[in-house]
Amino acid sequence: MEFLGTTQLASYCGTKKSCLFPDLAPTSTTKDTYQSYYLPGYRYLSSWRPSLLHKVVSVPPRSDKQFTPPGRPPTILPASRSSLHARYSTRDWHHANMVQLKGSETSRYRAGRLNADSMRLMQDKDQLTYQMQEDSRRNLAERISNIDFWSSELIYELECLLKETQALETAKKRLECAADEMQGPLKVALECLYHREKRKGIDLVHDDVEKNLIKEVDVFKDCQEILTKLAQKISQQLGINRDAQHALEQDLSDKNSAHFIDEKCFNLRNTSDSINFYHGVEKADGTVSVPVTWAKFSEDNIRCSQHARANSVKLREDAEVGLESTSEEMWNHFISTNLAFNNRIAEVADAKNKLQAQLAKV
């Protein structure tokens, strides 16, 4: 028994000869309508259409008349099997399902790996971000301690410089006052010389008193010049001290601003408000300093201040020595001038007495 629409792989659709339907001679129509079997995906696009069955060329009438049982549909001739060649087999159907399943499994596997890689990447980045934040907090804490250290050094040096500047100003005032006070004794010595010029005759002698007065005037002028020069040097040193003080104050102000900023950054957290990302802030600017040059800048300011303080101390010592030496020298000349006056007065009085005695005798 044969069925209508049997598949190509059926065992009863082979090349066995049928007793009822002998093989027909191949015709051009059968040859043209025959199509070879194609693998799935390589067949014609219109092969799935059922209307192809109606387009199969009908078999030419047989020469011999054979009896066809009533009610039985005509058996499909070999010429109409070309439409069956375009259909899928069960193996192809199972293969297509397996391909779909494997493709789905592959996609799901790749999606799972992608999700795992994404989660791992997120965890790595989160851990890296945490480590970087911890490093930044540790660096900020170290930076704040460094700023505190240099700020304390700057404050101490600034206080010492201010005390030294104040002491130097006091020394300058003393020098200026001493130089001004020398003007009185100098005028006295000059008045003595002027009055001694009023002597007449043989009494107008160049005696020890005149020599001491002239020397005393020169000493007064020299001491006054020495003290004035010391006061001028102190004025210049005071300008240097003010420059060093300005540098220290400016550096200390910058340190305070940096301390405020770094402390604020140290207290920031991921949950803080008003946190924005600024592009390009991670790039290093060549115009700014590095920790080495930053520390060297403050160290240079402190060294400059220390050098200024050392010069100030030396000038104060020179001022003290100058005041003592000039005072001692002027006092010595004052004593020697007074002794010369006393001796000259004694001599004049003795000569006067002798003259008066002689005059009385005459």
Side-chain angles (χ1 to χ4, degrees), residues 342-352:
N342 291 330
N343 293 331
R344 184 61 179 170
I345 291 172
E347 289 178 359
V348 172
D350 184 51
K352 181 181 177 182

Side-chain angles (χ1 to χ4, degrees), residues 141-263:
E142 183 178 358
R143 184 67 175 173
I144 290 173
S145 63
N146 292 335
I147 292 175
D148 291 337
F149 170 75
W150 285 109
S151 296
S152 61
E153 292 292 326
L154 290 171
I155 291 173
Y156 174 76
E157 184 61 31
L158 183 60
E159 292 177 353
C160 293
L161 183 62
L162 290 175
K163 291 180 181 179
E164 184 61 33
T165 302
Q166 186 176 2
L168 193 62
E169 288 178 351
T170 303
K172 179 185 175 182
K173 290 179 181 179
R174 290 182 60 190
L175 290 174
E176 292 176 349
C177 183
D180 292 337
E181 288 178 355
M182 285 183 187
Q183 197 69 25
L186 179 61
K187 289 182 178 181
V188 172
L190 291 175
E191 287 290 333
C192 290
L193 289 175
Y194 293 152
H195 285 292
R196 284 178 63 83
E197 291 294 325
K198 296 179 181 179
R199 292 175 297 173
K200 299 179 180 179
I202 195 63
D203 289 332
L204 191 62
V205 296
H206 186 63
D207 53 1
D208 292 336
V209 175
E210 188 172 359
K211 291 179 181 178
N212 286 324
L213 285 173
I214 293 173
K215 190 175 183 180
E216 187 177 359
V217 169
D218 293 336
V219 168
F220 283 155
K221 289 183 178 180
D222 292 339
C223 292
Q224 195 174 17
E225 185 178 0
I226 290 173
L227 296 180
T228 304
K229 288 182 178 179
L230 283 174
Q232 291 177 356
K233 289 183 179 179
I234 289 176
S235 297
Q236 295 176 358
Q237 187 61 41
L238 285 174
I240 296 174
N241 290 0
R242 291 189 188 96
D243 293 339
Q245 177 183 351
H246 177 71
L248 290 175
E249 290 176 350
Q250 185 65 35
D251 195 5
L252 184 60
S253 176
D254 296 340
K255 293 291 186 297
N256 292 332
S257 299
H259 185 274
F260 175 76
I261 294 172
D262 289 342
E263 188 175 6

Side-chain angles (χ1 to χ4, degrees), residues 21 56 69 76 103 111 152 154 177 190 218 266 273 307 327 355 359:
F21 303 94
V56 178
I76 297 176
S152 61
L154 290 171
C177 183
L190 291 175
D218 293 336
F266 181 77
D273 297 335
H307 184 67
S327 177
L355 288 174
L359 182 60

